[in-house]
Each structure stands twice: as structure tokens, then as C-alpha cells.
Amino acid sequence: MSRAVVVERPGSHRLVTGPPPGPGPGEVVVRVAAAGICMSDREVYDGHRDAAYVRYPVIPGHEWSGTVEAVGEGVDAGLLGRRTVAEGFRSCGVCERCRSGDTSLCASGYDETGFTRPGAFADHVVVPARLLHPLADDADLRAAALLEPAAVVASAVRAGQAGAGERVAVVGAGTLGLLAVQLLAAGSPGELTVFDPRMERAVQALAFGATHACTPEETHDLAGRYDLVVETAGAPSTAASSCLLARRGGRVILTGIFTAGATGIDLVHLSLSQLTVRSVFGAPSSAWAFAVRAFGTGLIDPRPLITHEFPLERFGDAVALVGGGDPKTGKVLLRPS
């Protein structure tokens, strides 16, 4: 039998049990080893996610790892038993955006595992085999569950084109921010400053390679200092403050998902400073491949970010921790197996 957490509607979930799912043509069934809970999942549970980006009832879970247990027609049987992760976006692969490499911007419409398709808060998840990124035979599946946020960070870091010796700032020291520190530190920046109000996160950022840790209140004193600013917090004021941190002619990459009412970017400052500002939504296939390689070679190590693990039966306790405000809460995992 196979279990799954189903969010029937905002604020209501139940654990269901039934026969294991079977793969269709071109699909695989993966036994889930670990699945991360992020703020997007909390938004699904609370009913705060944009209606165009969720379909109830839904089995959440878009950050996950596992082992291929069954393959469908047309899928290489050599994948059986492979440890793996998979891209979440169900891109069509044939539209103009997909053929340009922007698979996270597929013109066929939004479709993502864990939001519009059954996700990995379950014993099994079914995904198209073409979206798999197989891992090494000895890969740590607990840590690999964080490769989805790592892929988002990889997309941001690649877009920012950080050069050796540059001054770089990371705004926010949550999961995305701390993974960004690890990747950026590997590129030998001249300075790598992290901005976050939580002392516990600042200490962790310094351990991961940041050279300085500052509070948001210090943003004003460091305005115009950085060649590249990577924003990861998605807080109401962090897009605007990130642009103020960048030097004239600098680059700003926004990875946070902002909500209505966020502080607007100062357009006068933007134009006079000749900033390059780019947002990141999810991760294209190339960023996934980059993140998986970085994980395999040890450039990123998500293990220290994990602070809590729960069985499927305690989904309610697990999701309550996410976004609860406790600075000691890092990445929360569900562990079906």
C-alpha cells in the first residue's frame, strides 16, 4: 500500500492509503526518501497561494529525492533502483521558451509537481522520466531533497555572473540564502556579505563562507557597495533594499516570491544607477543539471540546513513549523520511508 498527504482545501488535510500508483508511458514511479517543506507548501496549506498556481485537492511536495521503483513503457529499465531527483515544472519541451532553454517559463502554461500534479508528500510520486536527474549510487538522499531550492539558487547565481574578486551580497539567510552563500563562496568573491536579522543564521552563513554578516538595519550604511546582490528573502522590503545595496552599474537578482503590497523599487534610483535587475522563477533544466553536479562534487552541502524530520503522519506538526518564526527552524523534512 502507498500513503499520501492530501490537502483537500486550505486548512484541511488527511492521510490516505491506497494501491501504489503505476507509471504511464514515459513515466517512472519513485519511492520517496525525503521531501522538504517550504513556504510555498505552507501557502498551499493556508490557502494563500495564487489560485492560478495550485489545484485542490492536491498532494503537495516539490522538493524531494528518492529511488526509481517502476518504469513505464518506453523508459530505460536501467533507471530501476537509481537514486534520483526530478524537475518540478512539467514543461512541454517544444514551445519557443522551452526550445530556448527557459523550461521554467514554458508557454504551455503552469504545471508543477506538488501544486497542479500529485507531489512527494507520499510514499510514491510519479513523474515523467525525461525530468529525472539521476544521482550517484551513494548519494545522501536526505540531503538531496534540497536540490530543488539548490537549483533555484543555481539559476540565480548563473544569472548574476559573479566574478572572482567581486563584492557580493546575499539578502536573506534562509534555505535559499545559505545555499547561495555556498555556491558564491566557491567562486572566490572578494567580499561576501549576508544580510539577515537572525543571529543563528548569520553564524551559519559565516561557516559556509560568508566574510561578513550584517543586520537589515546596516543596509543604509553599505548602500552602493556591491557588484552583485542576490535577494532570497521575498520579504516586503527586500527587493527595494537590494537595489540600494548595488553599486552603480551593478546587478541584482531577485529569487524571493513577493506578495501584493511589497515595497516598490525606486525607479529614479534604478534609472540613474543603470542597474541590471532580473527575477528568477523556479529553475530551468540547465540550472538543475548545474546544482546536481555541484552536489555531487561537494560544492554545496545541504545537510547542515536540515533541523527537523517528521513521518507523513505528522504533516500537521511539520507544516506548522515552517514560517512559524523560530530562528532555530531550518529545513523541515517529511520522511515517508
Side-chain angles (χ1 to χ4, degrees):
M1 303 298 284
S2 185
R3 303 163 301 158
V5 174
V6 178
V7 176
E8 300 280 3
R9 59 187 180 278
S12 175
H13 76 278
R14 62 191 178 99
L15 186 67
V16 301
T17 303
E27 295 181 332
V28 298
V29 176
V30 178
R31 175 170 284 279
V32 179
I37 304 177
C38 82
M39 275 303 298
S40 294
D41 301 307
R42 178 67 188 263
E43 290 169 0
V44 167
Y45 188 70
D46 290 343
H48 296 160
R49 188 170 175 85
D50 189 304
Y53 294 90
V54 63
R55 187 179 302 146
Y56 298 100
V58 63
I59 301 171
H62 61 286
E63 305 177 2
W64 58 270
S65 63
T67 303
V68 178
E69 197 167 85
V71 300
E73 179 184 346
V75 178
D76 181 7
L79 287 172
L80 286 168
R82 287 296 303 273
R83 299 186 180 199
T84 193
V85 293
E87 298 173 35
F89 288 113
R90 305 290 184 98
S91 56
C92 72
V94 296
C95 70
E96 181 180 1
R97 292 273 49 84
C98 285
R99 292 175 69 85
S100 298
D102 297 324
T103 52
S104 58
L105 302 178
C106 178
S108 293
Y110 173 75
D111 194 12
E112 186 176 4
T113 301
F115 297 105
T116 61
R117 301 290 185 102
F121 292 172
D123 287 318
H124 298 90
V125 63
V126 179
V127 294
R130 62 184 174 84
L131 299 181
L132 295 183
H133 287 267
L135 306 172
D137 292 340
D138 61 350
D140 181 344
L141 289 178
R142 177 175 170 269
L146 276 69
L147 280 173
E148 191 277 340
V152 175
V153 165
S155 182
V157 170
R158 286 157 58 90
Q161 299 180 325
E166 286 195 312
R167 292 174 174 169
V168 182
V170 175
V171 177
T175 298
L176 290 178
L178 292 174
L179 288 170
V181 168
Q182 291 190 16
L183 273 182
L184 289 163
S188 301
E191 182 179 321
L192 180 53
T193 303
V194 173
F195 291 86
D196 195 280
R198 299 164 292 186
M199 181 58 65
E200 295 86 348
R201 299 300 180 88
V203 170
Q204 200 164 24
L206 293 171
F208 287 161
T211 57
H212 302 85
C214 298
T215 65
E217 289 72 27
E218 296 174 85
T219 299
H220 179 75
D221 295 333
L222 296 170
R225 180 176 181 82
Y226 299 97
D227 301 291
L228 170 65
V229 182
V230 179
E231 187 281 330
T232 68
S237 63
T238 51
S241 62
S242 294
C243 289
L244 295 176
L245 284 169
R247 65 164 172 80
R248 298 189 73 189
R251 293 104 62 204
V252 179
I253 310 296
L254 306 175
T255 70
I257 302 297
F258 298 94
T259 58
T263 305
I265 295 171
D266 184 340
L267 296 181
V268 174
H269 173 77
L270 182 67
S271 59
L272 294 179
S273 298
Q274 195 174 307
L275 298 181
T276 298
V277 180
R278 175 173 170 175
S279 63
V280 168
F281 178 65
S285 299
S286 58
W288 270 92
F290 183 93
V292 169
R293 287 195 302 271
F295 176 67
T297 58
L299 285 181
I300 56 173
D301 180 10
R303 290 175 297 178
L305 304 183
I306 301 167
T307 58
H308 296 79
E309 301 178 51
F310 292 90
L312 290 178
E313 292 82 359
R314 294 187 60 193
F315 167 74
D317 295 328
V319 76
L321 282 175
V322 177
D326 186 347
K328 295 181 180 178
T329 300
K331 178 54 65 175
V332 178
L333 295 183
L334 287 181
R335 297 292 302 273
S337 300

